[in-house]
Amino acid sequence: MYKKILVPVDLTHAENLTKALDTAAELAKSWKAELCYVGVTPETPSPVAHTPKEYGEKLAAFANKQGESHGVKTDSVYYTSTDPAIDINKTLRKAIEESGADLVVMASHVPNVLDYVWASHGGYIAEHADTSVFIVR
């Protein structure tokens, strides 16, 4: 049913993404789909990597590890941004379009009062993407 599943990943908080990562892997196994992990990194040094290239290498290693542990084909792609916190929604929409993904599986947090002021990234992507979006809480 699905051929390519895009999974947004924040390597800074990867330990909090287990449920979404496992869900994406199970869906990929069910449909023999490829998983593509996408990340957005600043152009300057960050807590995850000193350079965008280093970030890309870490994301690729993360994707390989996920693929090996779940037995699915994986890939990764990263984008740079001068301010990922501001550009994340726009960048993820670009990643969805460029990757040709037909499903996005992404983690979300438990809604709180701030979500009435600022929409969540998952909510924004579900509302604006042209593909199916599965938000895992």
Side-chain angles (χ1 to χ4, degrees):
M1 180 180 230
Y2 296 104
K3 295 179 180 169
K4 189 166 193 173
I5 301 171
L6 193 74
V7 185
V9 175
D10 180 351
L11 290 179
T12 307
H13 305 289
E15 71 280 356
N16 297 328
L17 305 175
T18 303
K19 194 171 179 181
L21 296 172
D22 290 348
T23 299
E26 287 300 318
L27 292 171
K29 278 195 259 186
S30 294
W31 290 305
K32 296 180 178 41
E34 177 183 4
L35 285 176
C36 181
Y37 299 93
V38 61
V40 181
T41 185
E43 296 168 350
T44 56
S46 72
V48 175
H50 296 95
T51 64
K53 181 181 177 195
E54 182 184 359
Y55 179 87
E57 292 167 355
K58 287 185 175 184
L59 185 62
F62 177 85
N64 288 335
K65 186 176 176 183
Q66 289 291 313
E68 289 173 7
S69 67
H70 293 288
V72 294
K73 183 178 177 185
T74 62
D75 193 8
S76 65
V77 62
Y78 71 96
Y79 293 84
T80 60
S81 169
T82 53
D83 190 347
I86 299 296
D87 297 336
I88 190 79
N89 292 337
K90 181 179 71 174
T91 306
L92 288 178
R93 284 186 66 196
K94 180 180 178 183
I96 294 166
E97 292 170 12
E98 290 181 352
S99 70
D102 48 4
L103 176 65
V104 176
V105 175
M106 61 189 302
S108 183
H109 60 279
V110 176
N112 61 42
V113 70
L114 291 177
D115 290 315
Y116 292 101
V117 180
W118 292 288
S120 67
H121 299 302
Y124 179 88
I125 295 301
E127 188 174 334
H128 293 88
D130 293 331
T131 189
S132 297
V133 178
F134 185 168
I135 299 172
V136 179
R137 185 179 301 157

